[in-house]
Amino acid sequence: MAVDKNMNVLIVDDYKTMLRIIRNLLKQLGFNNVDEATDGSMALQMLRVGNYGLIISDWNMEPMTGLQLLREVRADAKLKSIPFIMVTAESKSENVIAAKEAGVSNYIVKPFNAETLKTKMSSVLGDFA
């Protein structure tokens, strides 16, 4: 099945520069319907009223971390099937294990480029040109 590049993508990071970088990478890949949230609780509110095909979230945020957001999403019947990619500056194995146990779809370590993002997105959405 072809990937719908018109899907709504929610990017979550408390660092505005990172939101801009991810938005630009998504644009390079042809995804233009991108919404932003600056923390997990804001993201959760947006997810509950919106219709998203992918979540890309930073791990390290306050007051709700990416891991807490992931757990909330996976516990919600309406949201649990949305692919969730976690972004982090740390590749510590305990973080990877915690995210996997919480149901993360994939994991990206910063810094990353459009090609890495595309590879991770393809692994959870299917291949796209």
Side-chain angles (χ1 to χ4, degrees):
M1 190 174 94
V3 173
D4 178 11
K5 289 191 175 182
N6 292 316
M7 76 169 69
N8 294 319
V9 178
L10 181 62
I11 55 177
V12 192
D13 201 312
D14 55 0
Y15 187 49
K16 292 250 190 253
T17 303
M18 199 63 208
L19 287 172
R20 195 169 62 244
I21 291 167
I22 296 173
R23 177 185 284 278
N24 287 337
L25 292 174
L26 286 165
K27 196 175 216 157
Q28 285 176 40
L29 297 174
F31 293 83
N32 293 307
N33 294 332
V34 179
D35 289 337
E36 300 175 0
T38 51
D39 68 65
S41 47
M42 179 182 175
L44 211 48
Q45 290 173 340
M46 293 172 71
L47 286 161
R48 289 192 169 131
V49 296
N51 184 19
Y52 293 93
L54 176 65
I55 302 162
I56 301 174
S57 176
D58 187 43
W59 177 291
N60 199 7
M61 298 180 294
E62 295 292 333
M64 182 189 277
T65 67
L67 185 62
Q68 289 170 305
L69 173 62
L70 172 62
R71 288 182 174 137
E72 289 284 336
V73 166
R74 292 298 181 245
D76 187 307
K78 178 180 175 265
L79 307 176
K80 67 181 179 187
S81 63
I82 302 173
F84 193 117
I85 297 176
M86 188 77 75
V87 178
T88 183
E90 303 164 31
S91 57
K92 291 192 292 207
S93 59
E94 60 266 27
N95 287 8
V96 176
I97 291 166
K100 284 206 181 310
E101 285 175 350
V104 78
S105 307
N106 214 320
Y107 205 87
I108 302 181
V109 179
K110 294 180 208 171
F112 57 91
N113 59 21
E115 197 52 45
T116 303
L117 181 59
K118 181 178 181 187
T119 301
K120 300 291 185 173
M121 288 174 64
S122 294
S123 77
V124 300
L125 299 173
D127 288 332
F128 58 91

